[in-house]
Amino acid sequence: GENVEQHPSTLSVQEGDSAVIKCTYSDSASNYFPWYKQELGKGPQLIIDIRSNVGEKKDQRIAVTLNKTAKHFSLHITETQPEDSAVYFCAASKPTSGQNFVFGPGTRLSVLP
Amino acid sequence: DAGVTQSPTHLIKTRGQHVTLRCSPISGHKSVSWYQQVLGQGPQFIFQYYEKEERGRGNFPDRFSARQFPNYSSELNVNALLLGDSALYLCASTQGFPGGNSPLHFGNGTRLTVT
Protein backbone atom coordinates (compact mmCIF):
# COMPACT_ATOMS: atom_id res chain seq x y z
CA GLY A 1 0.00 0.00 0.00
CA GLU A 2 0.82 3.67 -0.10
CA ASN A 3 3.49 5.02 2.26
CA VAL A 4 3.99 8.75 2.82
CA GLU A 5 7.13 10.09 4.45
CA GLN A 6 7.51 13.67 5.64
CA HIS A 7 10.54 15.76 6.61
CA PRO A 8 11.52 17.48 8.78
CA SER A 9 9.55 16.41 11.84
CA THR A 10 10.16 19.80 13.47
CA LEU A 11 11.07 23.14 11.92
CA SER A 12 11.80 26.48 13.55
CA VAL A 13 12.09 29.66 11.50
CA GLN A 14 12.30 33.36 12.23
CA GLU A 15 9.25 35.45 11.42
CA GLY A 16 9.48 36.62 7.82
CA ASP A 17 11.65 33.72 6.68
CA SER A 18 10.49 30.91 4.40
CA ALA A 19 9.64 27.35 5.44
CA VAL A 20 9.78 24.24 3.29
CA ILE A 21 8.32 20.84 4.15
CA LYS A 22 8.93 17.83 1.93
CA CYS A 23 6.97 14.62 1.41
CA THR A 24 7.58 11.48 -0.62
CA TYR A 25 5.04 8.85 -1.62
CA SER A 26 5.46 5.30 -2.83
CA ASP A 27 2.40 4.52 -4.99
CA SER A 28 2.67 5.92 -8.51
CA ALA A 29 -1.14 5.61 -8.85
CA SER A 30 -1.66 8.40 -6.29
CA ASN A 31 -2.91 11.50 -8.06
CA TYR A 32 -4.13 13.95 -5.43
CA PHE A 33 -1.96 15.57 -2.76
CA PRO A 34 -3.51 17.88 -0.14
CA TRP A 35 -1.76 19.69 2.70
CA TYR A 36 -3.41 20.18 6.07
CA LYS A 37 -2.68 22.50 8.99
CA GLN A 38 -3.63 21.36 12.46
CA GLU A 39 -3.72 23.74 15.38
CA LEU A 40 -3.90 22.62 18.98
CA GLY A 41 -7.29 21.19 19.88
CA LYS A 42 -8.61 21.35 16.34
CA GLY A 43 -9.01 19.04 13.40
CA PRO A 44 -6.79 19.29 10.31
CA GLN A 45 -7.70 22.14 7.97
CA LEU A 46 -7.02 22.01 4.24
CA ILE A 47 -4.64 24.78 3.18
CA ILE A 48 -3.71 23.83 -0.37
CA ASP A 49 -3.86 20.85 -2.69
CA ILE A 50 -2.38 19.75 -6.00
CA ARG A 51 -3.38 17.21 -8.60
CA SER A 52 -1.01 15.06 -10.58
CA ASN A 53 -1.60 16.94 -13.85
CA VAL A 54 -0.13 20.11 -12.33
CA GLY A 55 3.46 20.76 -11.32
CA GLU A 56 2.97 23.78 -9.08
CA LYS A 57 0.17 25.69 -7.39
CA LYS A 58 0.29 28.91 -5.43
CA ASP A 59 -2.14 30.64 -3.09
CA GLN A 60 -0.80 33.90 -1.65
CA ARG A 61 2.08 32.98 0.71
CA ILE A 62 1.63 29.23 0.25
CA ALA A 63 2.78 27.12 -2.68
CA VAL A 64 3.04 23.42 -3.42
CA THR A 65 5.26 21.72 -5.98
CA LEU A 66 4.93 18.17 -7.30
CA ASN A 67 7.52 15.97 -8.99
CA LYS A 68 5.69 12.87 -10.24
CA THR A 69 8.82 11.21 -11.57
CA ALA A 70 10.58 11.40 -8.22
CA LYS A 71 7.30 10.91 -6.33
CA HIS A 72 7.76 13.84 -4.02
CA PHE A 73 5.92 17.06 -3.28
CA SER A 74 6.74 20.06 -1.13
CA LEU A 75 4.97 22.83 0.77
CA HIS A 76 6.51 26.29 0.65
CA ILE A 77 5.44 29.06 3.03
CA THR A 78 6.94 32.49 2.43
CA GLU A 79 7.00 35.50 4.77
CA THR A 80 6.10 33.31 7.73
CA GLN A 81 4.04 34.75 10.56
CA PRO A 82 3.55 33.55 14.16
CA GLU A 83 0.05 32.35 13.27
CA ASP A 84 1.62 29.89 10.82
CA SER A 85 2.87 27.93 13.84
CA ALA A 86 1.08 24.57 13.79
CA VAL A 87 1.51 20.95 12.74
CA TYR A 88 1.40 20.41 8.98
CA PHE A 89 0.44 17.12 7.33
CA CYS A 90 0.83 16.04 3.75
CA ALA A 91 -1.38 13.32 2.29
CA ALA A 92 -1.82 11.26 -0.86
CA SER A 93 -4.81 9.54 -2.39
CA LYS A 94 -5.76 7.63 -5.52
CA PRO A 95 -9.14 7.22 -7.20
CA THR A 96 -9.79 3.55 -6.51
CA SER A 97 -12.83 2.20 -4.75
CA GLY A 98 -12.40 1.96 -1.00
CA GLN A 99 -9.11 3.79 -1.02
CA ASN A 100 -8.68 6.85 1.11
CA PHE A 101 -6.03 9.32 2.16
CA VAL A 102 -2.65 8.26 3.53
CA PHE A 103 -1.11 10.94 5.73
CA GLY A 104 2.49 11.72 6.54
CA PRO A 105 3.61 11.82 10.20
CA GLY A 106 3.50 15.61 10.37
CA THR A 107 5.86 18.57 10.75
CA ARG A 108 5.68 20.86 13.75
CA LEU A 109 6.43 24.37 12.50
CA SER A 110 7.37 27.07 14.99
CA VAL A 111 7.64 30.67 13.76
CA LEU A 112 9.68 32.70 16.21
CA PRO A 113 8.84 36.41 16.53
CA ASP B 1 -22.62 27.01 6.83
CA ALA B 2 -21.79 24.66 9.68
CA GLY B 3 -18.73 22.53 9.27
CA VAL B 4 -18.37 18.91 10.28
CA THR B 5 -19.62 18.49 13.84
CA GLN B 6 -18.60 15.71 16.18
CA SER B 7 -19.83 14.67 19.59
CA PRO B 8 -18.81 14.31 22.27
CA THR B 9 -15.64 16.41 22.28
CA HIS B 10 -14.02 14.41 25.08
CA LEU B 11 -14.70 10.99 26.52
CA ILE B 12 -13.12 8.86 29.22
CA LYS B 13 -13.81 5.12 29.22
CA THR B 14 -12.50 2.06 31.02
CA ARG B 15 -10.86 -0.92 29.34
CA GLY B 16 -13.40 -3.39 28.06
CA GLN B 17 -16.18 -0.84 27.69
CA HIS B 18 -17.89 0.18 24.47
CA VAL B 19 -18.03 3.68 22.95
CA THR B 20 -20.12 5.40 20.27
CA LEU B 21 -18.89 8.53 18.53
CA ARG B 22 -21.12 10.68 16.35
CA CYS B 23 -20.57 12.87 13.32
CA SER B 24 -22.66 15.20 11.18
CA PRO B 25 -21.18 16.05 7.79
CA ILE B 26 -21.28 19.38 6.03
CA SER B 27 -24.70 19.95 4.49
CA GLY B 28 -24.77 18.41 1.02
CA HIS B 29 -21.85 16.07 1.64
CA LYS B 30 -22.74 12.43 1.17
CA SER B 31 -19.44 10.83 2.09
CA VAL B 32 -18.09 10.41 5.61
CA SER B 33 -14.74 8.99 6.64
CA TRP B 34 -13.36 8.19 10.06
CA TYR B 35 -9.71 8.56 11.07
CA GLN B 36 -7.76 7.75 14.21
CA GLN B 37 -5.00 10.14 15.22
CA VAL B 38 -2.66 8.94 17.92
CA LEU B 39 -0.73 11.71 19.67
CA GLY B 40 2.24 12.82 17.58
CA GLN B 41 1.19 10.98 14.43
CA GLY B 42 -0.79 11.64 11.28
CA PRO B 43 -4.42 10.55 10.92
CA GLN B 44 -4.93 6.90 10.02
CA PHE B 45 -7.89 5.76 7.92
CA ILE B 46 -10.52 3.61 9.64
CA PHE B 47 -13.69 3.67 7.51
CA GLN B 48 -15.25 5.38 4.54
CA TYR B 49 -19.02 5.54 3.92
CA TYR B 50 -20.70 6.87 0.82
CA GLU B 51 -24.45 6.92 0.31
CA LYS B 52 -24.90 4.82 3.46
CA GLU B 53 -22.67 1.99 2.25
CA GLU B 54 -19.21 1.06 3.48
CA ARG B 55 -16.79 1.84 0.67
CA GLY B 56 -13.49 1.36 2.43
CA ARG B 57 -11.96 -0.08 5.56
CA GLY B 58 -8.51 0.48 6.98
CA ASN B 59 -6.35 -1.91 8.93
CA PHE B 60 -8.34 -1.94 12.15
CA PRO B 61 -9.75 -4.91 14.11
CA ASP B 62 -13.38 -5.99 13.98
CA ARG B 63 -13.92 -4.24 17.30
CA PHE B 64 -14.31 -1.12 15.19
CA SER B 65 -17.55 -0.67 13.27
CA ALA B 66 -19.48 2.20 11.78
CA ARG B 67 -22.64 3.08 9.98
CA GLN B 68 -24.14 5.96 8.05
CA PHE B 69 -27.73 7.08 8.38
CA PRO B 70 -30.19 8.32 5.72
CA ASN B 71 -29.37 11.93 6.67
CA TYR B 72 -25.66 11.11 6.02
CA SER B 73 -24.65 11.43 9.66
CA SER B 74 -22.48 8.65 10.96
CA GLU B 75 -21.54 6.71 14.07
CA LEU B 76 -18.28 5.00 14.92
CA ASN B 77 -18.50 2.19 17.45
CA VAL B 78 -15.59 0.60 19.28
CA ASN B 79 -16.11 -2.49 21.44
CA ALA B 80 -13.92 -4.02 24.12
CA LEU B 81 -11.81 -0.88 24.47
CA LEU B 82 -8.06 -1.24 24.91
CA LEU B 83 -5.59 1.29 26.30
CA GLY B 84 -4.18 1.61 22.79
CA ASP B 85 -7.51 2.93 21.51
CA SER B 86 -6.81 6.22 23.27
CA ALA B 87 -6.62 8.77 20.48
CA LEU B 88 -8.31 11.66 18.71
CA TYR B 89 -11.04 10.30 16.44
CA LEU B 90 -11.64 12.50 13.45
CA CYS B 91 -14.61 12.53 11.15
CA ALA B 92 -14.31 14.02 7.68
CA SER B 93 -16.85 14.64 4.97
CA THR B 94 -16.51 15.26 1.28
CA GLN B 95 -18.86 16.27 -1.46
CA GLY B 96 -18.09 13.52 -3.88
CA PHE B 97 -16.77 10.02 -3.65
CA PRO B 98 -13.45 10.37 -1.80
CA GLY B 99 -10.16 9.06 -3.01
CA GLY B 100 -10.26 11.11 -6.17
CA ASN B 101 -9.95 14.85 -6.28
CA SER B 102 -12.28 15.78 -3.44
CA PRO B 103 -10.58 17.10 -0.31
CA LEU B 104 -11.56 15.92 3.14
CA HIS B 105 -13.15 18.44 5.48
CA PHE B 106 -12.45 17.46 9.09
CA GLY B 107 -14.31 18.07 12.30
CA ASN B 108 -12.45 18.91 15.50
CA GLY B 109 -12.58 15.32 16.66
CA THR B 110 -13.48 13.37 19.77
CA ARG B 111 -10.66 12.88 22.25
CA LEU B 112 -11.05 9.35 23.68
CA THR B 113 -9.09 8.34 26.74
CA VAL B 114 -9.16 4.71 27.84
CA THR B 115 -8.04 4.02 31.42
Side-chain angles (χ1 to χ4, degrees):
Chain A
E2 175 69 280
N3 181 50
V4 177
E5 296 184 353
Q6 183 172 348
H7 299 279
S9 57
T10 60
L11 179 60
S12 292
V13 300
Q14 289 295 134
E15 183 177 356
D17 287 350
S18 295
V20 180
I21 303 171
K22 299 181 179 180
C23 287
T24 60
Y25 60 100
S26 60
D27 192 337
S28 57
S30 290
N31 70 340
Y32 176 62
F33 308 93
W35 285 89
Y36 287 86
K37 174 184 181 182
Q38 188 173 27
E39 297 175 287
L40 195 63
K42 295 187 177 181
Q45 179 184 16
L46 178 73
I47 56 172
I48 195 166
D49 57 7
I50 191 167
R51 292 164 175 79
S52 59
N53 60 344
V54 175
E56 183 174 357
K57 182 178 179 180
K58 189 174 181 180
D59 182 4
Q60 299 183 341
R61 299 186 296 109
I62 296 175
V64 57
T65 58
L66 171 64
N67 183 325
K68 285 190 299 182
T69 303
K71 288 189 283 191
H72 67 69
F73 55 112
S74 299
L75 177 71
H76 305 253
I77 306 174
T78 59
E79 301 172 20
T80 54
Q81 302 167 3
E83 52 264 38
D84 293 329
S85 296
V87 180
Y88 291 81
F89 294 97
C90 61
S93 76
K94 57 185 180 182
T96 54
S97 178
Q99 188 65 31
N100 219 301
F101 292 80
V102 177
F103 284 80
T107 296
R108 181 173 297 279
L109 173 65
S110 298
V111 179
L112 308 174
Chain B
D1 281 344
V4 175
T5 57
Q6 293 186 243
S7 62
T9 55
H10 296 83
L11 204 52
I12 300 176
K13 290 286 189 177
T14 304
R15 277 178 300 176
Q17 286 188 317
H18 154 270
V19 68
T20 298
L21 311 181
R22 296 178 174 82
C23 170
S24 292
I26 293 172
S27 177
H29 286 194
K30 299 180 179 180
S31 179
V32 169
S33 297
W34 287 94
Y35 285 80
Q36 181 195 65
Q37 187 177 24
V38 174
L39 196 61
Q41 297 182 18
Q44 187 174 1
F45 173 61
I46 309 175
F47 284 111
Q48 170 196 328
Y49 276 79
Y50 178 70
E51 289 280 17
K52 301 177 288 293
E53 291 187 6
E54 181 183 307
R55 298 300 187 104
R57 174 187 285 257
N59 188 25
F60 280 81
D62 291 344
R63 299 184 295 107
F64 288 76
S65 64
R67 55 180 176 168
Q68 187 177 32
F69 299 100
N71 67 352
Y72 302 110
S73 67
S74 178
E75 283 182 354
L76 175 69
N77 295 283
V78 187
N79 293 323
L81 285 167
L82 303 174
L83 294 179
D85 295 331
S86 295
L88 180 68
Y89 288 85
L90 295 162
C91 175
S93 73
T94 188
Q95 206 161 20
F97 184 70
N101 292 332
S102 299
L104 297 174
H105 300 271
F106 285 95
N108 286 330
T110 294
R111 171 72 61 188
L112 173 64
T113 302
V114 182
T115 62

Short mmCIF file of all heavy atoms in Angstrom, two decimals, chain A residues 28-71:
data_model
loop_
_atom_site.label_atom_id
_atom_site.label_comp_id
_atom_site.label_asym_id
_atom_site.label_seq_id
_atom_site.Cartn_x
_atom_site.Cartn_y
_atom_site.Cartn_z
N SER A 28 2.72 5.06 -7.32
CA SER A 28 2.67 5.92 -8.51
C SER A 28 1.24 6.17 -8.98
O SER A 28 1.00 7.04 -9.81
CB SER A 28 3.49 5.29 -9.65
OG SER A 28 3.01 3.99 -9.92
N ALA A 29 0.26 5.40 -8.48
CA ALA A 29 -1.14 5.61 -8.85
C ALA A 29 -1.77 6.78 -8.09
O ALA A 29 -2.85 7.26 -8.46
CB ALA A 29 -1.95 4.34 -8.59
N SER A 30 -1.13 7.26 -7.04
CA SER A 30 -1.66 8.40 -6.29
C SER A 30 -1.68 9.62 -7.19
O SER A 30 -0.74 9.87 -7.96
CB SER A 30 -0.81 8.68 -5.05
OG SER A 30 -0.98 7.64 -4.10
N ASN A 31 -2.78 10.37 -7.13
CA ASN A 31 -2.91 11.50 -8.06
C ASN A 31 -3.43 12.77 -7.43
O ASN A 31 -3.70 13.76 -8.11
CB ASN A 31 -3.83 11.10 -9.23
CG ASN A 31 -5.28 10.96 -8.80
OD1 ASN A 31 -5.57 10.78 -7.62
ND2 ASN A 31 -6.20 11.02 -9.75
N TYR A 32 -3.60 12.77 -6.10
CA TYR A 32 -4.13 13.95 -5.43
C TYR A 32 -3.38 14.12 -4.12
O TYR A 32 -3.27 13.16 -3.33
CB TYR A 32 -5.63 13.80 -5.21
CG TYR A 32 -6.25 14.95 -4.44
CD1 TYR A 32 -6.22 16.24 -4.96
CD2 TYR A 32 -6.87 14.74 -3.22
CE1 TYR A 32 -6.78 17.30 -4.26
CE2 TYR A 32 -7.43 15.78 -2.52
CZ TYR A 32 -7.39 17.06 -3.04
OH TYR A 32 -7.94 18.10 -2.35
N PHE A 33 -2.87 15.35 -3.88
CA PHE A 33 -1.96 15.57 -2.76
C PHE A 33 -2.36 16.85 -2.01
O PHE A 33 -1.96 17.95 -2.38
CB PHE A 33 -0.53 15.68 -3.28
CG PHE A 33 -0.14 14.52 -4.16
CD1 PHE A 33 -0.29 14.60 -5.53
CD2 PHE A 33 0.35 13.34 -3.61
CE1 PHE A 33 0.04 13.52 -6.35
CE2 PHE A 33 0.69 12.27 -4.41
CZ PHE A 33 0.54 12.36 -5.79
N PRO A 34 -3.13 16.70 -0.93
CA PRO A 34 -3.51 17.88 -0.14
C PRO A 34 -2.53 18.10 1.01
O PRO A 34 -1.84 17.18 1.46
CB PRO A 34 -4.89 17.48 0.39
CG PRO A 34 -4.82 15.99 0.51
CD PRO A 34 -3.87 15.50 -0.56
N TRP A 35 -2.51 19.32 1.50
CA TRP A 35 -1.76 19.69 2.70
C TRP A 35 -2.74 20.21 3.73
O TRP A 35 -3.64 21.00 3.41
CB TRP A 35 -0.73 20.77 2.39
CG TRP A 35 0.47 20.25 1.67
CD1 TRP A 35 0.64 20.15 0.32
CD2 TRP A 35 1.69 19.78 2.27
NE1 TRP A 35 1.88 19.64 0.03
CE2 TRP A 35 2.55 19.41 1.21
CE3 TRP A 35 2.15 19.65 3.57
CZ2 TRP A 35 3.84 18.91 1.42
CZ3 TRP A 35 3.42 19.15 3.78
CH2 TRP A 35 4.26 18.79 2.72
N TYR A 36 -2.54 19.78 4.99
CA TYR A 36 -3.41 20.18 6.07
C TYR A 36 -2.61 20.85 7.18
O TYR A 36 -1.47 20.49 7.45
CB TYR A 36 -4.15 18.97 6.66
CG TYR A 36 -5.25 18.43 5.75
CD1 TYR A 36 -4.96 17.51 4.75
CD2 TYR A 36 -6.56 18.86 5.90
CE1 TYR A 36 -5.95 17.04 3.92
CE2 TYR A 36 -7.57 18.38 5.06
CZ TYR A 36 -7.24 17.47 4.07
OH TYR A 36 -8.23 17.00 3.24
N LYS A 37 -3.25 21.82 7.84
CA LYS A 37 -2.68 22.50 8.99
C LYS A 37 -3.54 22.15 10.19
O LYS A 37 -4.77 22.25 10.13
CB LYS A 37 -2.71 24.02 8.74
CG LYS A 37 -2.27 24.88 9.92
CD LYS A 37 -2.44 26.36 9.58
CE LYS A 37 -1.99 27.25 10.73
NZ LYS A 37 -2.20 28.70 10.41
N GLN A 38 -2.89 21.72 11.27
CA GLN A 38 -3.63 21.36 12.46
C GLN A 38 -3.14 22.17 13.65
O GLN A 38 -1.98 22.07 14.04
CB GLN A 38 -3.52 19.86 12.77
CG GLN A 38 -4.43 19.41 13.91
CD GLN A 38 -4.44 17.91 14.09
OE1 GLN A 38 -3.48 17.21 13.75
NE2 GLN A 38 -5.54 17.36 14.61
N GLU A 39 -4.03 22.96 14.19
CA GLU A 39 -3.72 23.74 15.38
C GLU A 39 -4.17 22.97 16.61
O GLU A 39 -5.03 22.08 16.53
CB GLU A 39 -4.40 25.11 15.30
CG GLU A 39 -3.87 25.94 14.12
CD GLU A 39 -4.62 27.25 13.95
OE1 GLU A 39 -5.77 27.20 13.49
OE2 GLU A 39 -4.04 28.31 14.26
N LEU A 40 -3.65 23.34 17.74
CA LEU A 40 -3.90 22.62 18.98
C LEU A 40 -5.40 22.56 19.29
O LEU A 40 -6.08 23.58 19.26
CB LEU A 40 -3.14 23.29 20.13
CG LEU A 40 -3.00 22.47 21.41
CD1 LEU A 40 -2.20 21.21 21.13
CD2 LEU A 40 -2.33 23.31 22.49
N GLY A 41 -5.89 21.35 19.51
CA GLY A 41 -7.29 21.19 19.88
C GLY A 41 -8.26 21.23 18.72
O GLY A 41 -9.48 21.22 18.93
N LYS A 42 -7.73 21.27 17.51
CA LYS A 42 -8.61 21.35 16.34
C LYS A 42 -8.32 20.21 15.36
O LYS A 42 -7.28 19.56 15.44
CB LYS A 42 -8.45 22.69 15.64
CG LYS A 42 -8.90 23.88 16.48
CD LYS A 42 -8.86 25.16 15.66
CE LYS A 42 -9.38 26.34 16.47
NZ LYS A 42 -9.37 27.60 15.68
N GLY A 43 -9.24 20.01 14.44
CA GLY A 43 -9.01 19.04 13.40
C GLY A 43 -8.15 19.63 12.29
O GLY A 43 -7.98 20.85 12.21
N PRO A 44 -7.59 18.79 11.43
CA PRO A 44 -6.79 19.29 10.31
C PRO A 44 -7.64 20.15 9.37
O PRO A 44 -8.79 19.82 9.08
CB PRO A 44 -6.33 18.01 9.61
CG PRO A 44 -6.44 16.93 10.65
CD PRO A 44 -7.61 17.32 11.49
N GLN A 45 -7.02 21.23 8.90
CA GLN A 45 -7.70 22.14 7.97
C GLN A 45 -6.95 22.17 6.66
O GLN A 45 -5.73 22.40 6.64
CB GLN A 45 -7.78 23.54 8.59
CG GLN A 45 -8.44 24.57 7.70
CD GLN A 45 -8.43 25.97 8.31
OE1 GLN A 45 -7.68 26.24 9.23
NE2 GLN A 45 -9.25 26.85 7.77
N LEU A 46 -7.65 21.98 5.56
CA LEU A 46 -7.02 22.01 4.24
C LEU A 46 -6.48 23.40 3.94
O LEU A 46 -7.19 24.40 4.09
CB LEU A 46 -8.04 21.62 3.17
CG LEU A 46 -7.55 21.64 1.73
CD1 LEU A 46 -6.62 20.48 1.46
CD2 LEU A 46 -8.73 21.63 0.75
N ILE A 47 -5.21 23.48 3.52
CA ILE A 47 -4.64 24.78 3.18
C ILE A 47 -4.32 24.90 1.70
O ILE A 47 -4.39 26.01 1.14
CB ILE A 47 -3.38 25.10 4.03
CG1 ILE A 47 -2.32 24.00 3.88
CG2 ILE A 47 -3.75 25.30 5.48
CD1 ILE A 47 -0.98 24.36 4.54
N ILE A 48 -3.98 23.82 1.06
CA ILE A 48 -3.71 23.83 -0.37
C ILE A 48 -3.66 22.40 -0.86
O ILE A 48 -3.40 21.48 -0.08
CB ILE A 48 -2.39 24.58 -0.68
CG1 ILE A 48 -2.30 24.93 -2.18
CG2 ILE A 48 -1.18 23.78 -0.23
CD1 ILE A 48 -1.20 25.95 -2.49
N ASP A 49 -3.94 22.20 -2.13
CA ASP A 49 -3.86 20.85 -2.69
C ASP A 49 -3.35 20.93 -4.12
O ASP A 49 -3.36 21.99 -4.76
CB ASP A 49 -5.21 20.13 -2.63
CG ASP A 49 -6.33 20.90 -3.34
OD1 ASP A 49 -6.06 21.93 -4.00
OD2 ASP A 49 -7.49 20.48 -3.20
N ILE A 50 -2.88 19.79 -4.63
CA ILE A 50 -2.38 19.75 -6.00
C ILE A 50 -2.74 18.40 -6.61
O ILE A 50 -2.73 17.38 -5.93
CB ILE A 50 -0.86 20.03 -6.05
CG1 ILE A 50 -0.39 20.27 -7.49
CG2 ILE A 50 -0.08 18.89 -5.39
CD1 ILE A 50 1.02 20.85 -7.57
N ARG A 51 -3.05 18.43 -7.88
CA ARG A 51 -3.38 17.21 -8.60
C ARG A 51 -2.25 16.84 -9.52
O ARG A 51 -1.43 17.68 -9.88
CB ARG A 51 -4.69 17.40 -9.37
CG ARG A 51 -5.88 17.55 -8.41
CD ARG A 51 -7.12 18.13 -9.05
NE ARG A 51 -8.25 18.15 -8.14
CZ ARG A 51 -8.45 19.03 -7.18
NH1 ARG A 51 -7.58 19.98 -6.99
NH2 ARG A 51 -9.52 18.95 -6.39
N SER A 52 -2.20 15.57 -9.92
CA SER A 52 -1.01 15.06 -10.58
C SER A 52 -0.79 15.65 -11.97
O SER A 52 0.29 15.47 -12.55
CB SER A 52 -1.06 13.54 -10.68
OG SER A 52 -2.21 13.13 -11.39
N ASN A 53 -1.77 16.35 -12.52
CA ASN A 53 -1.60 16.94 -13.85
C ASN A 53 -1.04 18.36 -13.77
O ASN A 53 -0.93 19.05 -14.78
CB ASN A 53 -2.93 16.94 -14.61
CG ASN A 53 -4.00 17.73 -13.89
OD1 ASN A 53 -3.87 18.03 -12.70
ND2 ASN A 53 -5.07 18.05 -14.59
N VAL A 54 -0.66 18.76 -12.55
CA VAL A 54 -0.13 20.11 -12.33
C VAL A 54 1.20 19.99 -11.60
O VAL A 54 1.36 19.15 -10.72
CB VAL A 54 -1.12 20.95 -11.50
CG1 VAL A 54 -0.53 22.30 -11.15
CG2 VAL A 54 -2.44 21.11 -12.25
N GLY A 55 2.16 20.83 -11.96
CA GLY A 55 3.46 20.76 -11.32
C GLY A 55 3.62 21.71 -10.15
O GLY A 55 4.46 21.48 -9.26
N GLU A 56 2.82 22.79 -10.14
CA GLU A 56 2.97 23.78 -9.08
C GLU A 56 1.65 24.52 -8.92
O GLU A 56 0.91 24.75 -9.88
CB GLU A 56 4.09 24.77 -9.43
CG GLU A 56 4.36 25.80 -8.35
CD GLU A 56 5.58 26.66 -8.67
OE1 GLU A 56 6.24 26.41 -9.69
OE2 GLU A 56 5.87 27.59 -7.88
N LYS A 57 1.38 24.90 -7.68
CA LYS A 57 0.17 25.69 -7.39
C LYS A 57 0.49 26.66 -6.29
O LYS A 57 1.21 26.31 -5.34
CB LYS A 57 -0.96 24.75 -6.98
CG LYS A 57 -2.29 25.44 -6.71
CD LYS A 57 -3.35 24.41 -6.36
CE LYS A 57 -4.69 25.05 -6.05
NZ LYS A 57 -5.71 24.02 -5.72
N LYS A 58 -0.02 27.89 -6.42
CA LYS A 58 0.29 28.91 -5.43
C LYS A 58 -0.98 29.59 -4.96
O LYS A 58 -1.91 29.83 -5.74
CB LYS A 58 1.24 29.94 -6.05
CG LYS A 58 1.80 30.94 -5.05
CD LYS A 58 2.85 31.83 -5.71
CE LYS A 58 3.42 32.81 -4.69
NZ LYS A 58 4.46 33.69 -5.28
N ASP A 59 -1.02 29.92 -3.67
CA ASP A 59 -2.14 30.64 -3.09
C ASP A 59 -1.57 31.61 -2.07
O ASP A 59 -1.27 31.24 -0.94
CB ASP A 59 -3.12 29.68 -2.43
CG ASP A 59 -4.34 30.40 -1.86
OD1 ASP A 59 -4.46 31.62 -2.03
OD2 ASP A 59 -5.18 29.72 -1.23
N GLN A 60 -1.37 32.84 -2.48
CA GLN A 60 -0.80 33.90 -1.65
C GLN A 60 0.58 33.47 -1.14
O GLN A 60 1.49 33.29 -1.95
CB GLN A 60 -1.76 34.26 -0.52
CG GLN A 60 -3.10 34.79 -1.05
CD GLN A 60 -4.06 35.21 0.05
OE1 GLN A 60 -3.93 34.83 1.20
NE2 GLN A 60 -5.03 36.04 -0.31
N ARG A 61 0.75 33.30 0.17
CA ARG A 61 2.08 32.98 0.71
C ARG A 61 2.40 31.49 0.67
O ARG A 61 3.48 31.06 1.08
CB ARG A 61 2.18 33.47 2.16
CG ARG A 61 2.03 34.96 2.34
CD ARG A 61 2.30 35.37 3.78
NE ARG A 61 1.32 34.81 4.71
CZ ARG A 61 1.59 33.84 5.58
NH1 ARG A 61 2.79 33.30 5.65
NH2 ARG A 61 0.63 33.41 6.39
N ILE A 62 1.46 30.68 0.23
CA ILE A 62 1.63 29.23 0.25
C ILE A 62 1.73 28.69 -1.17
O ILE A 62 0.97 29.11 -2.05
CB ILE A 62 0.45 28.57 0.99
CG1 ILE A 62 0.43 29.01 2.45
CG2 ILE A 62 0.53 27.05 0.90
CD1 ILE A 62 -0.77 28.52 3.22
N ALA A 63 2.65 27.77 -1.37
CA ALA A 63 2.78 27.12 -2.68
C ALA A 63 3.10 25.65 -2.47
O ALA A 63 3.66 25.25 -1.45
CB ALA A 63 3.89 27.78 -3.50
N VAL A 64 2.71 24.85 -3.45
CA VAL A 64 3.04 23.42 -3.42
C VAL A 64 3.61 23.05 -4.78
O VAL A 64 3.14 23.52 -5.82
CB VAL A 64 1.81 22.56 -3.07
CG1 VAL A 64 0.67 22.81 -4.03
CG2 VAL A 64 2.16 21.09 -3.01
N THR A 65 4.66 22.23 -4.76
CA THR A 65 5.26 21.72 -5.98
C THR A 65 5.18 20.21 -5.99
O THR A 65 5.23 19.57 -4.93
CB THR A 65 6.72 22.16 -6.12
OG1 THR A 65 7.46 21.70 -4.97
CG2 THR A 65 6.83 23.68 -6.19
N LEU A 66 5.06 19.62 -7.16
CA LEU A 66 4.93 18.17 -7.30
C LEU A 66 5.88 17.67 -8.37
O LEU A 66 5.93 18.21 -9.48
CB LEU A 66 3.50 17.80 -7.69
CG LEU A 66 3.23 16.34 -8.08
CD1 LEU A 66 3.48 15.41 -6.89
CD2 LEU A 66 1.81 16.19 -8.61
N ASN A 67 6.65 16.64 -8.03
CA ASN A 67 7.52 15.97 -8.99
C ASN A 67 7.05 14.53 -9.08
O ASN A 67 7.37 13.70 -8.23
CB ASN A 67 8.99 16.04 -8.54
CG ASN A 67 9.95 15.43 -9.53
OD1 ASN A 67 9.63 14.44 -10.19
ND2 ASN A 67 11.12 16.00 -9.64
N LYS A 68 6.26 14.21 -10.12
CA LYS A 68 5.69 12.87 -10.24
C LYS A 68 6.75 11.81 -10.49
O LYS A 68 6.65 10.67 -10.04
CB LYS A 68 4.66 12.85 -11.37
CG LYS A 68 3.36 13.53 -11.05
CD LYS A 68 2.33 13.26 -12.13
CE LYS A 68 2.78 13.81 -13.47
NZ LYS A 68 1.75 13.60 -14.52
N THR A 69 7.77 12.18 -11.24
CA THR A 69 8.82 11.21 -11.57
C THR A 69 9.54 10.75 -10.31
O THR A 69 9.78 9.56 -10.11
CB THR A 69 9.82 11.82 -12.55
OG1 THR A 69 9.12 12.26 -13.71
CG2 THR A 69 10.89 10.80 -12.94
N ALA A 70 9.88 11.72 -9.45
CA ALA A 70 10.58 11.40 -8.22
C ALA A 70 9.62 11.02 -7.11
O ALA A 70 10.06 10.58 -6.04
CB ALA A 70 11.44 12.58 -7.80
N LYS A 71 8.34 11.19 -7.32
CA LYS A 71 7.30 10.91 -6.33
C LYS A 71 7.54 11.69 -5.06
O LYS A 71 7.59 11.12 -3.95
CB LYS A 71 7.19 9.40 -6.08
CG LYS A 71 6.54 8.67 -7.28
CD LYS A 71 6.22 7.22 -6.96
CE LYS A 71 7.46 6.40 -7.01
NZ LYS A 71 7.21 4.95 -6.97
#
